[in-house]
């Protein structure tokens, strides 16, 4: 979905500016899709902590404890071993771990998620107005000459 939202004119301008494929990806495409990548990263980390069905249905956590996950251990403690209080405590610890990891990802997002203001912010504001943030490509190469300064093709 993120790749479908790329502005083809920006990619074409980068190509005209003489960028290689790698430069175009790392300096134009990735900054434009970084909000999507950030969202997918957060959802994948949260989903990884919720793995239950596959180990339970395939191996019940065995052989030994090789395929035991946090959620499977929580289920087994709560419903197989009748330790509901212990399972509840495990659920709260799992919640805290997921929240800490998500907060850590959000704190690091400013280093790699590119946002730009579609509407200029007010002079006193340090952030974009609500609903006006979007991807911003980085241009490490000199900008193209304007059409008026380019030689004519007579």
């Amino acid at each position: 979905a993120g790749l479908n939202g790329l502005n083809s004119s920006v990619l074409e301008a980068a190509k005209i500016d003489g960028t290689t494929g790698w430069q175009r990806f790392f300096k134009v495409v990735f900054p434009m899709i970084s909000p999507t990548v950030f969202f997918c990263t957060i959802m994948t980390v949260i989903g990884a902590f919720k793995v239950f069905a596959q180990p339970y249905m395939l191996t019940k956590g065995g052989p030994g404890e090789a395929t035991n996950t946090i959620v499977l251990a929580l289920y087994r403690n709560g419903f197989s071993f009748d330790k509901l209080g212990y399972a509840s405590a495990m659920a709260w610890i799992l919640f805290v771990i997921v929240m800490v990891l998500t907060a850590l990802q959000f704190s690091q997002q400013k280093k790699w998620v590119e946002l730009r203001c579609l509407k200029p912010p007010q002079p006193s504001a340090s952030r974009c107005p609500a609903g006006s943030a979007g991807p911003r490509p980085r241009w490490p190469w000199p900008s193209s000459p304007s059409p008026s300064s380019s030689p004519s093709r007579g």
Side-chain angles (χ1 to χ4, degrees), residues 78-136:
F79 299 108
S80 296
F81 307 138
D82 292 326
K83 297 180 182 177
L84 294 176
Y86 186 69
S88 177
M90 287 178 70
W92 276 104
I93 290 171
L94 176 63
F95 171 73
V96 169
I97 289 170
V98 169
M99 288 303 297
V100 166
L101 285 175
T102 304
L104 182 67
Q105 286 179 310
F106 267 98
S107 71
Q108 298 301 310
Q109 105 182 39
K110 294 175 186 168
K111 294 181 181 177
W112 65 278
V113 176
E114 294 288 330
L115 295 175
R116 69 173 171 96
C117 294
L118 300 176
K119 299 175 194 167
Q122 299 298 326
S124 61
S126 62
R127 301 200 65 166
C128 297
S132 70
R136 176 191 72 204

Side-chain angles (χ1 to χ4, degrees), residues 46-67:
I46 292 171
F49 278 100
K50 295 186 335 181
V51 173
F52 170 77
Q54 295 90 344
Y56 180 73
M57 297 303 282
L58 294 173
T59 64
K60 304 265 192 275
E65 297 291 317
T67 59

Side-chain angles (χ1 to χ4, degrees), residues 2 4-7 11 23 31 35 45 53 61 95 97 100 112 117 119 124 131 137 140 142-143 145 153:
N4 290 336
L6 291 178
N7 189 347
L11 294 173
Q23 286 175 326
V45 168
F95 171 73
I97 289 170
V100 166
W112 65 278
C117 294
K119 299 175 194 167
S124 61
S143 61
R153 294 184 178 175

